[in-house]
Amino acid sequence: MASTIVLGIAVLIYLMLTCYCGWMGYKHTKSTDDFMVGGRKVNPFVLALSYGAAFISTSAIIGFGGYAGAFGMGILWLVFLNIFIGIFIAFIVFGSRTRRMGVNLKAVTFPELIGKRFQSRFIQGFSGLLIAIFMPIYTSGVLIGGARFMETALGIDYNTSVLMLTIITAAYVITGGLLAVMYTDAMQGILMFVGMAILMILTYRNLGGVVEAHQALTNLAYLVPETMAQQGHNGWTSMPTFGSPIWWTLVSTIILGVGIGTLAQPQLAVRFMTVKNTTSLKRAVLSGGPFIFMMVGVAYVVGALSNVYFFNNKGMLAFDVAGGNIDKIMPEYINSAMPEIFVVFFMLTLLAAAMSTLSSLFHNMGTAIGHDLYREYIMHGKIGHTISITKLGIAFTIIISVILAYVLPIGIIARATAIFFGLTAAAFLPMYAGAIFWKRMTKEGAVASMLVGTFSSLFWLTFVHAKEASALGISQAIFGQTTLLTGTWTLVDPILVATPISVLVAIVISLLTEPAPKEHIEKCFGK
């Protein structure tokens, strides 16, 4: 257990810095634009760190790191997609057009950008409703990750840990808006980068070096449990057997679901509208890429290598040490293998990872309720008490997220992330891409794509994809069988089915309906 005095001082300093950054955001928040999009003047370095810190949370470090501990380094393909799609494509290809259109249309949220592009309050309201209903699932996964580490490292009750994380984060989000979120994100991002760098160095030192550590992990392949081997597990430095259950989960749900779903994350896309020009976005790539590489690359490698440490010191694999809960693999490894003083520092790293993402999600859920659903859809654009309703929306979705963090099953972090990313990919990505790249896309095509993407994804989760269908039990109750389809179909993630259908619907319906007036298209894209 880390020294109470050292821990107390470290946490106090961290909270003082967090409060200061939150206060700076509050001080500079004077208008709705400031609260929603940081006044559109955020520094590119702050943007990169804020984007990365919001993107990479305890879900990645604890949840996906634990997944690597159980199933191996095949998850490193997700690092490639995180950087290539999540940073390069997102900033250079999507980001510049999103920023430009956001300025042209004076949009302050992701749903408003899409809604104004297609002149549809329904699109804006429905998008806000989707965010309000389903983002708490992802948020709860982030909460669980931070709370599990606090539980293991500090001996604090899990329920207490959840409340502590929530209350601290909610305080500066509700008062300071997006500026407070981004300033604190940037500070927390720096802390996260340093923490992960030290974790990587200490891990390789403990295991005898880079080559020695990876060779030792390769040599453990013979210890793969028979049940996992039958599902395709070939060791921690090999990809699972092609077409096996583990392969389908890794490739379709984890790698593609999260890797592609990044482009349609509302809490990330809105950050493109916070900078003053496209040059700022390009500059942000230079710091955003290395940041993401360090965050996810280290987490996944260390998670897998924890097997070597546990086998050498306890004669057990990581999965067994964690009692079958993959969400506990990383906390168990860090508390067992790292120096006491580093455990304190890494707890702050994980607090930063959790709070940076939570603050972004809380802010996004609140604006979805207050601005998109209430003001624009229900009140038809009347100003009313938008900020007050937004703050109440933040509070409401926080409560829902906390409840979910208490009731969701063990090992849920990576799964919860993949579910939300997959759903947003199917519901938002075709419509979003069409909005900023295809002038011919119509309102009818966007509405149809969003609805078909949403409900086909939910249908697949409920009635076909075995992981969710068996847990929900709806198919069993209605049809008397766990899933409506059998065999490989039950392993295919919804993103591979719902997103292509959504794309096809968007194209076909748009070509069959009248395009928007030329004047509106010129307003959106600029002359």
Side-chain angles (χ1 to χ4, degrees):
M1 180 69 66
S3 166
T4 304
I5 296 177
V6 174
L7 176 62
I9 294 173
V11 171
L12 180 62
I13 293 173
Y14 169 74
L15 291 179
M16 288 174 64
L17 288 171
T18 301
C19 290
Y20 175 74
C21 292
W23 177 79
M24 287 294 291
Y26 170 76
K27 182 180 177 182
H28 291 92
T29 297
K30 306 296 184 183
S31 65
T32 299
D33 261 22
D34 291 337
F35 192 89
M36 297 293 192
V37 289
R40 304 186 196 274
K41 55 182 181 291
V42 173
N43 179 278
F45 181 71
V46 173
L47 167 66
L49 287 180
S50 174
Y51 181 96
F55 182 8
I56 304 302
S57 65
T58 48
S59 175
I61 298 172
I62 299 298
F64 289 92
Y67 186 93
F71 300 105
M73 291 188 180
I75 196 175
L76 286 175
W77 281 105
L78 180 56
V79 179
F80 170 75
L81 290 187
N82 285 157
I83 295 173
F84 180 69
I85 294 180
I87 297 294
F88 182 76
I89 297 297
F91 276 70
I92 301 301
V93 181
F94 278 71
S96 58
R97 286 176 174 264
T98 300
R99 189 208 66 81
R100 190 183 310 118
M101 189 173 290
V103 171
N104 292 342
L105 297 177
K106 295 181 173 57
V108 296
T109 67
F110 174 78
E112 183 170 51
L113 175 75
I114 307 300
K116 285 189 172 182
R117 160 64 175 88
F118 294 112
Q119 299 176 293
S120 171
R121 292 192 190 278
F122 174 76
I123 287 178
Q124 185 172 351
F126 188 83
S127 298
L129 185 63
L130 273 185
I131 293 169
I133 293 175
F134 293 102
M135 191 175 276
I137 297 174
Y138 175 33
T139 308
S140 65
V142 178
L143 269 174
I144 291 169
R148 285 300 180 196
F149 185 81
M150 293 175 67
E151 176 190 36
T152 304
L154 308 178
I156 299 176
D157 175 68
Y158 170 75
N159 295 334
T160 303
S161 300
V162 170
L163 288 177
M164 287 176 60
L165 271 176
T166 305
I167 292 170
I168 295 170
T169 309
Y172 65 80
V173 178
I174 292 176
T175 56
L178 191 59
L179 274 177
V181 170
M182 295 186 75
Y183 287 161
T184 53
D185 281 355
M187 181 274 291
Q188 291 159 344
I190 293 172
L191 182 61
M192 290 162 63
F193 188 92
V194 174
M196 296 305 285
I198 296 174
L199 176 63
M200 177 181 66
I201 293 169
L202 292 179
T203 295
Y204 282 127
R205 189 193 69 177
N206 289 344
L207 300 181
V210 177
V211 175
E212 292 78 6
H214 287 264
Q215 185 59 54
L217 184 61
T218 300
N219 295 341
L220 293 182
Y222 74 97
L223 292 174
V224 173
E226 183 60 30
T227 53
M228 288 188 175
Q230 291 175 355
Q231 296 182 59
H233 200 319
N234 293 319
W236 290 269
T237 56
S238 302
M239 281 291 288
T241 302
F242 179 80
S244 65
I246 292 179
W247 185 90
W248 274 109
T249 299
L250 174 64
V251 174
S252 70
T253 301
I254 302 297
I255 296 176
L256 294 179
V258 177
I260 296 174
T262 301
L263 288 175
Q265 292 302 292
Q267 74 279 9
L268 300 182
V270 72
R271 277 164 167 71
F272 302 140
M273 295 189 280
T274 64
V275 292
K276 59 183 179 181
N277 53 43
T278 301
T279 302
S280 297
L281 290 171
K282 294 178 180 178
R283 289 175 179 170
V285 173
L286 298 177
S287 46
F291 179 83
I292 297 297
F293 179 79
M294 182 61 71
M295 292 299 101
V296 292
V298 171
Y300 303 164
V301 169
V302 169
L305 289 175
S306 68
N307 286 283
V308 177
Y309 173 82
F310 287 128
F311 182 74
N312 290 344
N313 291 273
K314 299 185 178 184
M316 302 169 66
L317 296 173
F319 187 76
D320 298 319
V321 172
N325 184 356
I326 64 174
D327 294 342
K328 285 190 173 184
I329 289 178
M330 289 293 283
E332 290 286 353
Y333 169 72
I334 292 164
N335 282 284
S336 300
M338 296 293 111
E340 192 172 279
I341 190 66
F342 179 73
V343 174
V344 173
F345 183 77
F346 200 76
M347 189 208 75
L348 298 182
T349 300
L350 286 182
L351 276 178
M355 291 173 65
S356 59
T357 302
L358 287 173
S359 61
S360 298
L361 297 177
F362 290 162
H363 180 269
N364 200 259
M365 290 186 292
T367 57
I369 292 175
H371 185 78
D372 299 311
L373 185 59
Y374 172 75
R375 174 182 169 174
E376 294 300 327
Y377 185 66
I378 296 177
M379 301 301 294
H380 299 286
K382 296 178 182 177
I383 295 178
H385 304 284
T386 304
I387 299 299
S388 297
I389 298 298
T390 295
K391 292 179 178 181
L392 287 175
I394 293 173
F396 173 74
T397 53
I398 285 173
I399 293 171
I400 299 301
S401 301
V402 169
I403 292 173
L404 288 174
Y406 288 150
V407 302
L408 287 175
I410 64 171
I412 193 61
I413 296 177
R415 173 68 54 182
T417 304
I419 288 174
F420 181 70
F421 276 48
L423 176 62
T424 53
F428 295 151
L429 186 54
M431 177 176 65
Y432 176 33
I436 62 177
F437 292 111
W438 190 26
K439 297 180 180 180
R440 181 64 179 78
M441 188 165 180
T442 65
K443 169 184 173 180
E444 293 79 7
V447 170
S449 172
M450 178 178 66
L451 294 178
V452 169
T454 298
F455 291 109
S456 59
S457 182
L458 293 176
F459 175 85
W460 202 265
L461 282 171
T462 305
F463 295 104
V464 181
H465 199 236
K467 285 281 187 179
E468 291 77 28
S470 58
L472 292 172
I474 296 175
S475 179
Q476 183 68 44
I478 297 176
F479 300 106
Q481 55 191 65
T482 305
T483 58
L484 295 183
L485 300 180
T486 58
T488 302
W489 287 112
T490 63
L491 306 172
V492 177
D493 192 81
I495 193 173
L496 296 183
V497 177
T499 306
I501 293 175
S502 180
V503 170
L504 182 62
V505 167
I507 295 172
V508 171
I509 300 299
S510 292
L511 293 176
L512 293 175
T513 51
E514 288 294 321
K518 182 180 178 181
E519 297 76 17
H520 177 68
I521 296 299
E522 289 180 348
K523 179 183 177 181
C524 294
F525 289 86
K527 294 184 180 179

